[in-house]
Every structure is written in structure tokens, then in C-alpha cells.
Amino acid sequence: MANVNELVGKSECSGCGACVNSCPHGAITLLHDDEGFLSPVVDKGKCTDCSKCVVNCPYLYCRYDTSVDKINCYIAISKNEEERTKSSSGGIFSLLANYVLSKGGIVFGTTLNQDFLAATIEIDSANDLDKLRGSKYMQTDPSDTYNKIIKYLKDDLYVLYCSTPCQIAALNLIIHNRKVNRDKLITIDLMCHGGSSPLLFRKYLNEFYGPIEKIESYSFRDKSVFGWSTEANIYFKDGSEKHIKRDQDYWYKAFLPCVNVRTACGSCKYARIPRQGDFTLGDFWGVKKLSPKYDDGMGTSFVLLNSAKANQIFESLKQNLSLCKSIDLDTLIKFGQPINHSFKLHPVRDRFFELNRMGSYEKAFEYSVNRKYDVGIVGVWPGLNFGSALTYFSLYSFLEQNSISCLLIEPPGLDDQKKNENHSRRFIADRCHISAKLRVKDLKILNNYCDSFIVGSDQVWNYGISKKFGKFFYLNFVSRFKKKISIAASFGHDVDFAPQSERIAIANLLNNFDYISVREFEGREICSEVYGVNTQVEVILDPVFLNDSKFYHLISLDSSMNYSDYSLMYVLDLTDDFRKILLNSLKNHPEHKWIFLGDSGKRNNDAVSFCRTNGIEYVSDISISDFIYLIEHAKQVITDSYHGSCFSLIFKKPFLVFKNKRRGMSRINTLIKHFSLDNCVVSNENIHFNSEYTHNFDQELPRLLKISSDFILRAIYSDKLIPNPYQIWKYSYA
């Protein structure tokens, strides 16, 4: 059997609480998730797999018990002006509540509690109706509401329950499954715009009007100030007040276009006809278009009568209405709210929540809606190369872990779509924000979206690579008002291959950088001696080292490979010299099972023949997750790859590296110097897999990481001519 968490995904769950109220063992709790929404969490230790949470989940088993042959629709206004003034629209909820209270019944509705979170409470006196009046534009915590309602129904009491359609659906299904008599139950489903995040609301209050402890109350709909409207009203304990129009208030700016609402609300199963409640209530915002006489500026409701019970009750209440006009549903849909479909989520919704986990609410809204980023990263990440893609992903992840939003910029000129559909691009596209493809002449538009620009890491300044992209990798398109940073940039070799005719232009561009770091010691010398760079050039680690083995293990979990007890050959170039060394390794370790991985996983006929002749398993066309898996699970690694060596170090595998002159010695030599890896260099005389390096590696890595991370964060957080108006800071919901 399964539990509801295993069958209903995060994007489908409304957080209605049906599962919590259905579990007989108290194994399910509604807890705030990473977006601040209440979501069910199952305690596997208490769960008995009884599946009562499953059969009572309205997403899986949605019912429509209240439907009638014809839904009657009315425009309505209560005669009681005092109650109407306190209400969000026409005061119809108050009429229905008083109807139930007059029969000795219980009324359930939503209040904004002392923690400024929406919660369902019960009242049994009209004196407490103010607690339930007014809109609360966020997800409501139902707690054990459904179980309480069932208890009262079994005690033969009248009950009115007013909530969102998903929570009415939850109650309907539980009552049906428990076979409870619902004759005295009256339900109201509200016209719902979508549930916004409760903890995000608290963050908003703290950021704009806080500290929250100084706030006495908050009203989303205060008619005494703005009349019938949706504006923000904050009342403080010192007696002061603030009243903000919705086009200026950051809660409404995010809520009204559905930027800050739950994902499931964008495809709500209950925002349709037939409705879930006996009654459906909402603001008839378009009523003036129907007739100005129906709108006096203090609120007009629409009322749907979805059941015979609703028709009977409403008939008895008509005498209490100053306006009661029957209209058809088509008219309501034409002039009023969309009662037959859910509101559409804003396209930037996910990024808004992503940025809220990193920094301020205001910045999250402005940057998501205006498509802005702290940094744009320029590099060779789309190439068919395991190490390069992981370099950029590690840098990207490190920056975002430090509350810096990133955009990977598409290199210009990569027009062959099929060529770009490789494992690197697929891996990055699933995990990172990527810019649109732009022509060289259009790259300057990126200055409108990125506050600073980074180039690197990997061989971005290797002229053999960079010449294909003009001066893109020297950030020639970046405005002089934007910060320019290189992070572990590489020339690829210990010499510079740019012709003299290009060096003057490159020198001018490099000397406009604010901060420069390179990956190799020789790169620092090239910057100084060849290009006359005046800025201090620092040597830092390749960004793959910014994250540890646990970080990469999570990537390997996406692999479907299932190898064990093997040694890995990761070979970029099967040269004659390296071939001899590989054969000696086979000869000296005949007991090993060997797996051969070629350059970027591409199939190579020469390598296939070598493997077939020597009984080695050849793998090709693998994903980046597979690449990490092969290194993580290998007993030992022999390679001529720089990044093959880096990941052997990260996973602390016994390894040997062959100095591949064709690919450049500089990066391997720098790596050897950083971590004293001389005994890890393979030759015909040395084919002993070395694991003794780990002491030096463990000792040096923290120091080098501090140098590297300090440089990166100092470069990004430092001021430019025009400082970033939004302070970057970490935020915790706790």
C-alpha cells in the first residue's frame, strides 16, 4: 500500500489537510515547506500503510455531491450596513453565519492569528463573527477542522463551514467515506484567487512593515479607508497606521498576478462548475458594467446556489437583502469572476520563490518579474565535455548557495541545434537559468538584465577556442558601468597562442576587468607579461572544488548504471605512449575488472578496438550523472584528463594521471603543485595507483578553498560605479 506523499506530487497537492484528518495514527503533519506552504509530511515510523490518507485525498478522488440540475445565481447585498462594512463584499457570509448561529450551530471560518498566519477556527457566538469576516489572501491551516465538524454533525448540531474549494472538497470526501449524515452541514466555497504562501506573508510583513512584533493587525480589505477594494492596511501597536494601494504594495503586486501562490492552484481541480460548496460566494467586481445601480462602492456579492439546501436557505434570507437580483451564469462569467477555471500562474512564479530563498522579498519580485540576475556567466559550458559542464554547474551552485542569482549566457554563433543537444546542455538546462540565444550585435542587451558579469572557468582564454567567438570571452559587450570578473580563467597552455595583431585589443579588454583570477600559475604570468594586466591576478582552484563529494553524489543518483568492483580508464587521447602505460596497468593488475571511458563519452573506433583486444568494457554516450557515478564507484582511476584527476581527488580515489602534452601541461602541473601530487603522475616506471596523496590534499584544500571562495565573493560583493540598490542577504524562514 502507499501513502499520499507517494502518490501526490508537490505540484499537485493543495495542502488541504484531508490526509492529516484521516490518519488514525497521527502519522501525517502539515509542515511549512521550502516555499512556506503547508504540505503533508508522513512519519514512516508511525505509518501502517492503511491508505486512509489516499482514499480521502480529494486530488485523487474528487467528488461533486452538491450539484443541482440548474445552478441559481444572484447579485446580492445585505441590508445590515454595519455587517456589510466589516465584510469583504456584500455581507452574505454574515447572513449565513447568523442563520446557523441562531439555530445553536457552529461556524467555521478563517482568521488571521497573532502570528499573522491564516488558520481555521470555530465560533458559536455572533460576538466573534469579526474574527472570520474579511479576506485572508493566503493558504489556511485547517488543523483538525474536518474531524471537529464530523463530531458536531454526529452531535446533531448545525455547522457552517466557509473555506476555499479544495478544503470544502476535502471535507466532502471525508464525510462521504465515513458515511456521516450531512443534513445539517452547510458549506461555502469562496471564489479563490489561489493560496499564497503563509511564511512568505510573514517575511513580507517583516521586510516592509516590521519588525512583526510591532504590528497590531493587518487587513487586506478595509472599506473604512479605501471602500470596496483590495489594498493593504497595517495597524501598529503604537497607534499608527499605513494604507498602501495595491499597485504600490509588494504583497498585492505578487498576489494579484499569481506570482506568490501555490503551484497546485494553477491547475485547481475544484475551480469549476459544478462547485464544491452548497454556496459559492465572491466579489462581483464587474457589476458596474452590468449596471451602475448595483454598485455603490461598498461591495456587491455574487451568490451561486449549488444545492437544494442552498436554495431553501437563501429563499428564507431574501428578506434580509437590499439587493437580490437573479442573473444567469453566462452573465456572471462575462462580467464577473472566472468561476469555471483556475487562475493562471505567472510565468516567473518558480523563480520568485527561488529568489526568496536567497534574499529579500522585494528583490525577489523585482528580479523575477524584470528577468534580472546578479551575475551573467560567460563560458564554454555548452561544449561536449564532462568537466567543463560540471565546472560551470559547480560555480553556479556555489554562487546561488551564497545568495547570488546567476544566468548562464549562451555563446553567440552556436546555431547548429543538433550539435548543441548534448549531455552537457541537457544537464545544464535541467538545473540552471540560461539566456536566450543572441547574435553578436545584440549581446549588449544583457546589460539590462545582469548586474555583473563573470567569465570562466576552463579554457576561455585559449585563443584556439576564443577566436571562434570574437571577443565574447573578454566581455567586450559589457557596459563600462558593469563589473567584469574572471573566475579561474585558463589559457589552456603555458604559452599564449593569440597573434600579435590581436593582443592589443585583448590587453585593453583585460585591463578593464575589475577582478581577475586564473586557474594556472602560468596564466598569471601570461596576464602580466603578455598583456600587461595592472590588476592583481590571483590563482584560484577550479570551481569543481567549490563543492564536495556529497554534492556530486546527489548528481550520480540520477545515473542508471549499476557497476561494482571495477577500475576506470578515463582517456581523452589514446596516444602511443599512453597506450603502453595502459597495457602495463592491465599487466600489473590482471585481477581488476576495467571499464574504459573515452573523451566526453563519444564513441571512438580506435578505443573500441583497444578495449575489445584487451578484454576491457567500453562505455560511450553516457550522461554527466553517469560520468560522476563511474568515478565515485571506481576502485581506482587512471586518466589523462584534468577534470578526471579533479574528481578522483574529490572522491579520494587512488589515481594516476598521464601528462597529456596535446591538451596542455599547465593545468595538470598546477594541480600537482597545489596538492603535492608528484607520486600520482603515471609513467612506464610508475604504475602504482596512489592513495597516499590524501593527507596533503586534506591539509591544503581548506586553505586553497578559502583563497578561492574569498576572491569570488569579494569580487562579486564589491562596489562598482553604480552599486546594486538591493542588498544581497540570506534569509531563513525559521
Side-chain angles (χ1 to χ4, degrees), residues 201 204 208-209 218 220 230-234 243-256 361 365:
F201 178 71
Y204 147 85
F208 290 96
Y209 308 113
Y218 183 99
F220 295 93
T230 51
E231 324 292 347
N233 304 273
I234 306 93
H243 306 281
I244 317 295
K245 298 287 286 183
R246 62 180 177 272
D247 60 350
Q248 300 296 317
D249 177 77
Y250 272 92
W251 185 257
Y252 274 116
K253 287 203 287 187
F255 175 68
L256 292 176
Y361 182 100
F365 179 82

PDB file of all heavy atoms in Angstrom, residues 201 204 208-209 218 220 230-234 243-256 361 365:
ATOM      1  N   PHE A 201       4.224  35.599   3.528  1.00  0.00           N
ATOM      2  CA  PHE A 201       3.481  36.764   4.013  1.00  0.00           C
ATOM      3  C   PHE A 201       4.150  37.348   5.251  1.00  0.00           C
ATOM      4  O   PHE A 201       4.292  38.570   5.383  1.00  0.00           O
ATOM      5  CB  PHE A 201       2.036  36.377   4.316  1.00  0.00           C
ATOM      6  CG  PHE A 201       1.205  37.514   4.856  1.00  0.00           C
ATOM      7  CD1 PHE A 201       0.827  38.559   4.039  1.00  0.00           C
ATOM      8  CD2 PHE A 201       0.815  37.532   6.187  1.00  0.00           C
ATOM      9  CE1 PHE A 201       0.062  39.612   4.532  1.00  0.00           C
ATOM     10  CE2 PHE A 201       0.054  38.581   6.691  1.00  0.00           C
ATOM     11  CZ  PHE A 201      -0.318  39.624   5.858  1.00  0.00           C
ATOM     12  N   TYR A 204       7.194  39.179   4.150  1.00  0.00           N
ATOM     13  CA  TYR A 204       6.788  40.471   3.577  1.00  0.00           C
ATOM     14  C   TYR A 204       6.507  41.491   4.678  1.00  0.00           C
ATOM     15  O   TYR A 204       6.955  42.652   4.611  1.00  0.00           O
ATOM     16  CB  TYR A 204       5.572  40.235   2.681  1.00  0.00           C
ATOM     17  CG  TYR A 204       4.553  41.346   2.617  1.00  0.00           C
ATOM     18  CD1 TYR A 204       4.695  42.415   1.730  1.00  0.00           C
ATOM     19  CD2 TYR A 204       3.417  41.310   3.431  1.00  0.00           C
ATOM     20  CE1 TYR A 204       3.738  43.420   1.664  1.00  0.00           C
ATOM     21  CE2 TYR A 204       2.458  42.302   3.368  1.00  0.00           C
ATOM     22  CZ  TYR A 204       2.621  43.363   2.486  1.00  0.00           C
ATOM     23  OH  TYR A 204       1.672  44.345   2.425  1.00  0.00           O
ATOM     24  N   PHE A 208       8.807  44.939   5.068  1.00  0.00           N
ATOM     25  CA  PHE A 208       8.252  46.242   4.701  1.00  0.00           C
ATOM     26  C   PHE A 208       7.667  47.010   5.882  1.00  0.00           C
ATOM     27  O   PHE A 208       7.661  48.244   5.867  1.00  0.00           O
ATOM     28  CB  PHE A 208       7.177  46.070   3.627  1.00  0.00           C
ATOM     29  CG  PHE A 208       7.724  45.653   2.294  1.00  0.00           C
ATOM     30  CD1 PHE A 208       7.749  44.315   1.937  1.00  0.00           C
ATOM     31  CD2 PHE A 208       8.238  46.580   1.412  1.00  0.00           C
ATOM     32  CE1 PHE A 208       8.267  43.917   0.721  1.00  0.00           C
ATOM     33  CE2 PHE A 208       8.753  46.201   0.190  1.00  0.00           C
ATOM     34  CZ  PHE A 208       8.770  44.869  -0.162  1.00  0.00           C
ATOM     35  N   TYR A 209       7.169  46.310   6.893  1.00  0.00           N
ATOM     36  CA  TYR A 209       6.450  46.982   7.972  1.00  0.00           C
ATOM     37  C   TYR A 209       6.905  46.539   9.360  1.00  0.00           C
ATOM     38  O   TYR A 209       6.332  46.966  10.358  1.00  0.00           O
ATOM     39  CB  TYR A 209       4.936  46.726   7.841  1.00  0.00           C
ATOM     40  CG  TYR A 209       4.418  47.053   6.459  1.00  0.00           C
ATOM     41  CD1 TYR A 209       3.949  46.050   5.615  1.00  0.00           C
ATOM     42  CD2 TYR A 209       4.425  48.359   5.993  1.00  0.00           C
ATOM     43  CE1 TYR A 209       3.483  46.342   4.340  1.00  0.00           C
ATOM     44  CE2 TYR A 209       3.964  48.670   4.718  1.00  0.00           C
ATOM     45  CZ  TYR A 209       3.494  47.649   3.895  1.00  0.00           C
ATOM     46  OH  TYR A 209       3.044  47.949   2.636  1.00  0.00           O
ATOM     47  N   TYR A 218      -3.529  43.401  10.535  1.00  0.00           N
ATOM     48  CA  TYR A 218      -3.378  43.639   9.096  1.00  0.00           C
ATOM     49  C   TYR A 218      -4.711  43.331   8.442  1.00  0.00           C
ATOM     50  O   TYR A 218      -5.355  42.326   8.742  1.00  0.00           O
ATOM     51  CB  TYR A 218      -2.290  42.725   8.515  1.00  0.00           C
ATOM     52  CG  TYR A 218      -2.003  42.939   7.046  1.00  0.00           C
ATOM     53  CD1 TYR A 218      -0.918  43.705   6.632  1.00  0.00           C
ATOM     54  CD2 TYR A 218      -2.815  42.374   6.061  1.00  0.00           C
ATOM     55  CE1 TYR A 218      -0.642  43.913   5.290  1.00  0.00           C
ATOM     56  CE2 TYR A 218      -2.548  42.577   4.710  1.00  0.00           C
ATOM     57  CZ  TYR A 218      -1.470  43.339   4.334  1.00  0.00           C
ATOM     58  OH  TYR A 218      -1.201  43.540   2.999  1.00  0.00           O
ATOM     59  N   PHE A 220      -6.588  43.023   4.613  1.00  0.00           N
ATOM     60  CA  PHE A 220      -6.463  43.013   3.162  1.00  0.00           C
ATOM     61  C   PHE A 220      -7.553  43.860   2.495  1.00  0.00           C
ATOM     62  O   PHE A 220      -7.402  44.268   1.349  1.00  0.00           O
ATOM     63  CB  PHE A 220      -6.576  41.574   2.635  1.00  0.00           C
ATOM     64  CG  PHE A 220      -5.459  40.676   3.069  1.00  0.00           C
ATOM     65  CD1 PHE A 220      -5.572  39.906   4.209  1.00  0.00           C
ATOM     66  CD2 PHE A 220      -4.287  40.583   2.330  1.00  0.00           C
ATOM     67  CE1 PHE A 220      -4.553  39.054   4.614  1.00  0.00           C
ATOM     68  CE2 PHE A 220      -3.263  39.749   2.714  1.00  0.00           C
ATOM     69  CZ  PHE A 220      -3.391  38.980   3.858  1.00  0.00           C
ATOM     70  N   THR A 230      -9.199  46.225  -2.974  1.00  0.00           N
ATOM     71  CA  THR A 230      -8.176  45.311  -2.444  1.00  0.00           C
ATOM     72  C   THR A 230      -6.897  46.107  -2.235  1.00  0.00           C
ATOM     73  O   THR A 230      -6.125  46.327  -3.174  1.00  0.00           O
ATOM     74  CB  THR A 230      -7.923  44.150  -3.419  1.00  0.00           C
ATOM     75  OG1 THR A 230      -7.679  44.674  -4.730  1.00  0.00           O
ATOM     76  CG2 THR A 230      -9.109  43.221  -3.479  1.00  0.00           C
ATOM     77  N   GLU A 231      -6.670  46.549  -1.027  1.00  0.00           N
ATOM     78  CA  GLU A 231      -5.491  47.343  -0.687  1.00  0.00           C
ATOM     79  C   GLU A 231      -4.931  46.868   0.655  1.00  0.00           C
ATOM     80  O   GLU A 231      -5.597  46.168   1.406  1.00  0.00           O
ATOM     81  CB  GLU A 231      -5.843  48.835  -0.599  1.00  0.00           C
ATOM     82  CG  GLU A 231      -6.886  49.336  -1.590  1.00  0.00           C
ATOM     83  CD  GLU A 231      -6.453  49.345  -3.042  1.00  0.00           C
ATOM     84  OE1 GLU A 231      -5.256  49.194  -3.303  1.00  0.00           O
ATOM     85  OE2 GLU A 231      -7.335  49.499  -3.921  1.00  0.00           O
ATOM     86  N   ALA A 232      -3.695  47.245   0.940  1.00  0.00           N
ATOM     87  CA  ALA A 232      -3.034  46.813   2.172  1.00  0.00           C
ATOM     88  C   ALA A 232      -3.238  47.840   3.281  1.00  0.00           C
ATOM     89  O   ALA A 232      -3.071  49.046   3.058  1.00  0.00           O
ATOM     90  CB  ALA A 232      -1.542  46.619   1.919  1.00  0.00           C
ATOM     91  N   ASN A 233      -3.598  47.341   4.461  1.00  0.00           N
ATOM     92  CA  ASN A 233      -3.858  48.204   5.618  1.00  0.00           C
ATOM     93  C   ASN A 233      -3.168  47.617   6.837  1.00  0.00           C
ATOM     94  O   ASN A 233      -3.500  46.508   7.269  1.00  0.00           O
ATOM     95  CB  ASN A 233      -5.360  48.307   5.869  1.00  0.00           C
ATOM     96  CG  ASN A 233      -6.115  48.796   4.648  1.00  0.00           C
ATOM     97  OD1 ASN A 233      -6.250  49.987   4.438  1.00  0.00           O
ATOM     98  ND2 ASN A 233      -6.604  47.864   3.824  1.00  0.00           N
ATOM     99  N   ILE A 234      -2.209  48.355   7.393  1.00  0.00           N
ATOM    100  CA  ILE A 234      -1.412  47.853   8.508  1.00  0.00           C
ATOM    101  C   ILE A 234      -1.631  48.765   9.713  1.00  0.00           C
ATOM    102  O   ILE A 234      -1.487  49.999   9.614  1.00  0.00           O
ATOM    103  CB  ILE A 234       0.090  47.805   8.141  1.00  0.00           C
ATOM    104  CG1 ILE A 234       0.291  46.994   6.852  1.00  0.00           C
ATOM    105  CG2 ILE A 234       0.890  47.177   9.269  1.00  0.00           C
ATOM    106  CD1 ILE A 234       0.304  47.835   5.596  1.00  0.00           C
ATOM    107  N   HIS A 243      -1.558  52.665   4.931  1.00  0.00           N
ATOM    108  CA  HIS A 243      -2.539  52.205   3.953  1.00  0.00           C
ATOM    109  C   HIS A 243      -1.912  52.338   2.570  1.00  0.00           C
ATOM    110  O   HIS A 243      -1.600  53.451   2.133  1.00  0.00           O
ATOM    111  CB  HIS A 243      -3.822  53.023   4.060  1.00  0.00           C
ATOM    112  CG  HIS A 243      -4.394  53.035   5.447  1.00  0.00           C
ATOM    113  ND1 HIS A 243      -5.122  51.979   5.954  1.00  0.00           N
ATOM    114  CD2 HIS A 243      -4.305  53.956   6.442  1.00  0.00           C
ATOM    115  CE1 HIS A 243      -5.480  52.254   7.198  1.00  0.00           C
ATOM    116  NE2 HIS A 243      -4.996  53.454   7.520  1.00  0.00           N
ATOM    117  N   ILE A 244      -1.728  51.222   1.906  1.00  0.00           N
ATOM    118  CA  ILE A 244      -0.969  51.184   0.659  1.00  0.00           C
ATOM    119  C   ILE A 244      -1.849  50.680  -0.475  1.00  0.00           C
ATOM    120  O   ILE A 244      -2.481  49.621  -0.354  1.00  0.00           O
ATOM    121  CB  ILE A 244       0.265  50.261   0.773  1.00  0.00           C
ATOM    122  CG1 ILE A 244       0.986  50.481   2.108  1.00  0.00           C
ATOM    123  CG2 ILE A 244       1.210  50.473  -0.411  1.00  0.00           C
ATOM    124  CD1 ILE A 244       1.588  51.841   2.284  1.00  0.00           C
ATOM    125  N   LYS A 245      -1.880  51.427  -1.575  1.00  0.00           N
ATOM    126  CA  LYS A 245      -2.638  50.995  -2.741  1.00  0.00           C
ATOM    127  C   LYS A 245      -2.005  49.736  -3.333  1.00  0.00           C
ATOM    128  O   LYS A 245      -0.799  49.529  -3.250  1.00  0.00           O
ATOM    129  CB  LYS A 245      -2.670  52.093  -3.807  1.00  0.00           C
ATOM    130  CG  LYS A 245      -3.346  53.378  -3.360  1.00  0.00           C
ATOM    131  CD  LYS A 245      -4.849  53.226  -3.273  1.00  0.00           C
ATOM    132  CE  LYS A 245      -5.496  53.183  -4.635  1.00  0.00           C
ATOM    133  NZ  LYS A 245      -6.970  53.105  -4.566  1.00  0.00           N
ATOM    134  N   ARG A 246      -2.846  48.910  -3.952  1.00  0.00           N
ATOM    135  CA  ARG A 246      -2.383  47.604  -4.409  1.00  0.00           C
ATOM    136  C   ARG A 246      -1.296  47.679  -5.478  1.00  0.00           C
ATOM    137  O   ARG A 246      -0.476  46.778  -5.589  1.00  0.00           O
ATOM    138  CB  ARG A 246      -3.554  46.769  -4.918  1.00  0.00           C
ATOM    139  CG  ARG A 246      -4.294  47.347  -6.105  1.00  0.00           C
ATOM    140  CD  ARG A 246      -5.436  46.421  -6.511  1.00  0.00           C
ATOM    141  NE  ARG A 246      -6.232  46.944  -7.600  1.00  0.00           N
ATOM    142  CZ  ARG A 246      -7.268  47.740  -7.463  1.00  0.00           C
ATOM    143  NH1 ARG A 246      -7.627  48.125  -6.240  1.00  0.00           N
ATOM    144  NH2 ARG A 246      -7.955  48.160  -8.507  1.00  0.00           N
ATOM    145  N   ASP A 247      -1.270  48.751  -6.265  1.00  0.00           N
ATOM    146  CA  ASP A 247      -0.231  48.849  -7.288  1.00  0.00           C
ATOM    147  C   ASP A 247       1.100  49.312  -6.720  1.00  0.00           C
ATOM    148  O   ASP A 247       2.111  49.333  -7.428  1.00  0.00           O
ATOM    149  CB  ASP A 247      -0.676  49.773  -8.423  1.00  0.00           C
ATOM    150  CG  ASP A 247      -0.983  51.187  -7.944  1.00  0.00           C
ATOM    151  OD1 ASP A 247      -1.045  51.410  -6.719  1.00  0.00           O
ATOM    152  OD2 ASP A 247      -1.172  52.074  -8.801  1.00  0.00           O
ATOM    153  N   GLN A 248       1.118  49.663  -5.412  1.00  0.00           N
ATOM    154  CA  GLN A 248       2.351  50.045  -4.735  1.00  0.00           C
ATOM    155  C   GLN A 248       2.789  49.015  -3.702  1.00  0.00           C
ATOM    156  O   GLN A 248       3.952  49.011  -3.287  1.00  0.00           O
ATOM    157  CB  GLN A 248       2.170  51.405  -4.040  1.00  0.00           C
ATOM    158  CG  GLN A 248       1.826  52.538  -4.982  1.00  0.00           C
ATOM    159  CD  GLN A 248       2.943  52.823  -5.968  1.00  0.00           C
ATOM    160  OE1 GLN A 248       4.110  52.855  -5.603  1.00  0.00           O
ATOM    161  NE2 GLN A 248       2.579  53.022  -7.235  1.00  0.00           N
ATOM    162  N   ASP A 249       1.872  48.178  -3.293  1.00  0.00           N
ATOM    163  CA  ASP A 249       2.159  47.211  -2.233  1.00  0.00           C
ATOM    164  C   ASP A 249       2.718  45.916  -2.825  1.00  0.00           C
ATOM    165  O   ASP A 249       2.147  45.349  -3.767  1.00  0.00           O
ATOM    166  CB  ASP A 249       0.882  46.905  -1.452  1.00  0.00           C
ATOM    167  CG  ASP A 249       1.116  45.855  -0.388  1.00  0.00           C
ATOM    168  OD1 ASP A 249       1.689  46.199   0.658  1.00  0.00           O
ATOM    169  OD2 ASP A 249       0.756  44.688  -0.622  1.00  0.00           O
ATOM    170  N   TYR A 250       3.825  45.437  -2.259  1.00  0.00           N
ATOM    171  CA  TYR A 250       4.511  44.289  -2.850  1.00  0.00           C
ATOM    172  C   TYR A 250       3.800  42.966  -2.610  1.00  0.00           C
ATOM    173  O   TYR A 250       4.069  41.998  -3.305  1.00  0.00           O
ATOM    174  CB  TYR A 250       5.956  44.222  -2.347  1.00  0.00           C
ATOM    175  CG  TYR A 250       6.882  45.046  -3.212  1.00  0.00           C
ATOM    176  CD1 TYR A 250       7.144  46.371  -2.901  1.00  0.00           C
ATOM    177  CD2 TYR A 250       7.457  44.509  -4.349  1.00  0.00           C
ATOM    178  CE1 TYR A 250       7.975  47.142  -3.702  1.00  0.00           C
ATOM    179  CE2 TYR A 250       8.290  45.264  -5.155  1.00  0.00           C
ATOM    180  CZ  TYR A 250       8.538  46.579  -4.827  1.00  0.00           C
ATOM    181  OH  TYR A 250       9.349  47.331  -5.634  1.00  0.00           O
ATOM    182  N   TRP A 251       2.892  42.913  -1.635  1.00  0.00           N
ATOM    183  CA  TRP A 251       2.116  41.676  -1.496  1.00  0.00           C
ATOM    184  C   TRP A 251       1.102  41.577  -2.632  1.00  0.00           C
ATOM    185  O   TRP A 251       1.005  40.566  -3.316  1.00  0.00           O
ATOM    186  CB  TRP A 251       1.412  41.615  -0.146  1.00  0.00           C
ATOM    187  CG  TRP A 251       0.724  40.293   0.038  1.00  0.00           C
ATOM    188  CD1 TRP A 251      -0.599  40.017  -0.071  1.00  0.00           C
ATOM    189  CD2 TRP A 251       1.369  39.041   0.304  1.00  0.00           C
ATOM    190  NE1 TRP A 251      -0.832  38.677   0.123  1.00  0.00           N
ATOM    191  CE2 TRP A 251       0.364  38.059   0.358  1.00  0.00           C
ATOM    192  CE3 TRP A 251       2.693  38.666   0.514  1.00  0.00           C
ATOM    193  CZ2 TRP A 251       0.642  36.726   0.605  1.00  0.00           C
ATOM    194  CZ3 TRP A 251       2.974  37.337   0.767  1.00  0.00           C
ATOM    195  CH2 TRP A 251       1.958  36.381   0.809  1.00  0.00           C
ATOM    196  N   TYR A 252       0.382  42.654  -2.837  1.00  0.00           N
ATOM    197  CA  TYR A 252      -0.617  42.630  -3.906  1.00  0.00           C
ATOM    198  C   TYR A 252       0.030  42.559  -5.287  1.00  0.00           C
ATOM    199  O   TYR A 252      -0.522  41.937  -6.207  1.00  0.00           O
ATOM    200  CB  TYR A 252      -1.528  43.853  -3.801  1.00  0.00           C
ATOM    201  CG  TYR A 252      -2.679  43.645  -2.857  1.00  0.00           C
ATOM    202  CD1 TYR A 252      -2.801  44.400  -1.693  1.00  0.00           C
ATOM    203  CD2 TYR A 252      -3.639  42.674  -3.109  1.00  0.00           C
ATOM    204  CE1 TYR A 252      -3.863  44.199  -0.824  1.00  0.00           C
ATOM    205  CE2 TYR A 252      -4.696  42.460  -2.249  1.00  0.00           C
ATOM    206  CZ  TYR A 252      -4.806  43.223  -1.109  1.00  0.00           C
ATOM    207  OH  TYR A 252      -5.841  43.009  -0.243  1.00  0.00           O
ATOM    208  N   LYS A 253       1.185  43.190  -5.454  1.00  0.00           N
ATOM    209  CA  LYS A 253       1.850  43.140  -6.763  1.00  0.00           C
ATOM    210  C   LYS A 253       2.241  41.716  -7.125  1.00  0.00           C
ATOM    211  O   LYS A 253       2.303  41.361  -8.304  1.00  0.00           O
ATOM    212  CB  LYS A 253       3.079  44.054  -6.778  1.00  0.00           C
ATOM    213  CG  LYS A 253       2.724  45.520  -6.829  1.00  0.00           C
ATOM    214  CD  LYS A 253       3.848  46.384  -7.392  1.00  0.00           C
ATOM    215  CE  LYS A 253       5.008  46.563  -6.468  1.00  0.00           C
ATOM    216  NZ  LYS A 253       5.987  47.544  -7.008  1.00  0.00           N
ATOM    217  N   ALA A 254       2.485  40.893  -6.098  1.00  0.00           N
ATOM    218  CA  ALA A 254       2.813  39.488  -6.354  1.00  0.00           C
ATOM    219  C   ALA A 254       1.566  38.607  -6.355  1.00  0.00           C
ATOM    220  O   ALA A 254       1.483  37.656  -7.137  1.00  0.00           O
ATOM    221  CB  ALA A 254       3.808  38.986  -5.311  1.00  0.00           C
ATOM    222  N   PHE A 255       0.599  38.943  -5.498  1.00  0.00           N
ATOM    223  CA  PHE A 255      -0.578  38.074  -5.363  1.00  0.00           C
ATOM    224  C   PHE A 255      -1.540  38.183  -6.543  1.00  0.00           C
ATOM    225  O   PHE A 255      -2.003  37.171  -7.085  1.00  0.00           O
ATOM    226  CB  PHE A 255      -1.313  38.400  -4.060  1.00  0.00           C
ATOM    227  CG  PHE A 255      -2.602  37.646  -3.891  1.00  0.00           C
ATOM    228  CD1 PHE A 255      -2.601  36.274  -3.693  1.00  0.00           C
ATOM    229  CD2 PHE A 255      -3.825  38.303  -3.953  1.00  0.00           C
ATOM    230  CE1 PHE A 255      -3.793  35.567  -3.553  1.00  0.00           C
ATOM    231  CE2 PHE A 255      -5.014  37.613  -3.812  1.00  0.00           C
ATOM    232  CZ  PHE A 255      -4.998  36.243  -3.616  1.00  0.00           C
ATOM    233  N   LEU A 256      -1.852  39.381  -6.946  1.00  0.00           N
ATOM    234  CA  LEU A 256      -2.881  39.558  -7.971  1.00  0.00           C
ATOM    235  C   LEU A 256      -2.518  38.878  -9.296  1.00  0.00           C
ATOM    236  O   LEU A 256      -3.377  38.266  -9.927  1.00  0.00           O
ATOM    237  CB  LEU A 256      -3.190  41.041  -8.166  1.00  0.00           C
ATOM    238  CG  LEU A 256      -3.876  41.703  -6.959  1.00  0.00           C
ATOM    239  CD1 LEU A 256      -4.051  43.197  -7.188  1.00  0.00           C
ATOM    240  CD2 LEU A 256      -5.222  41.048  -6.661  1.00  0.00           C
ATOM    241  N   TYR A 361      12.419  39.875  -0.181  1.00  0.00           N
ATOM    242  CA  TYR A 361      11.152  39.724  -0.903  1.00  0.00           C
ATOM    243  C   TYR A 361      11.079  40.721  -2.060  1.00  0.00           C
ATOM    244  O   TYR A 361      10.683  40.371  -3.177  1.00  0.00           O
ATOM    245  CB  TYR A 361       9.999  39.949   0.074  1.00  0.00           C
ATOM    246  CG  TYR A 361       8.620  39.769  -0.516  1.00  0.00           C
ATOM    247  CD1 TYR A 361       7.911  38.594  -0.318  1.00  0.00           C
ATOM    248  CD2 TYR A 361       8.014  40.787  -1.258  1.00  0.00           C
ATOM    249  CE1 TYR A 361       6.637  38.424  -0.849  1.00  0.00           C
ATOM    250  CE2 TYR A 361       6.743  40.621  -1.797  1.00  0.00           C
ATOM    251  CZ  TYR A 361       6.065  39.446  -1.589  1.00  0.00           C
ATOM    252  OH  TYR A 361       4.814  39.287  -2.118  1.00  0.00           O
ATOM    253  N   PHE A 365      10.868  39.814  -6.106  1.00  0.00           N
ATOM    254  CA  PHE A 365       9.807  40.237  -7.023  1.00  0.00           C
ATOM    255  C   PHE A 365      10.376  41.013  -8.199  1.00  0.00           C
ATOM    256  O   PHE A 365      10.075  40.720  -9.361  1.00  0.00           O
ATOM    257  CB  PHE A 365       8.775  41.089  -6.283  1.00  0.00           C
ATOM    258  CG  PHE A 365       7.672  41.583  -7.180  1.00  0.00           C
ATOM    259  CD1 PHE A 365       6.606  40.759  -7.485  1.00  0.00           C
ATOM    260  CD2 PHE A 365       7.723  42.852  -7.743  1.00  0.00           C
ATOM    261  CE1 PHE A 365       5.600  41.195  -8.339  1.00  0.00           C
ATOM    262  CE2 PHE A 365       6.727  43.299  -8.590  1.00  0.00           C
ATOM    263  CZ  PHE A 365       5.662  42.467  -8.886  1.00  0.00           C
TER     264      PHE A 365
END
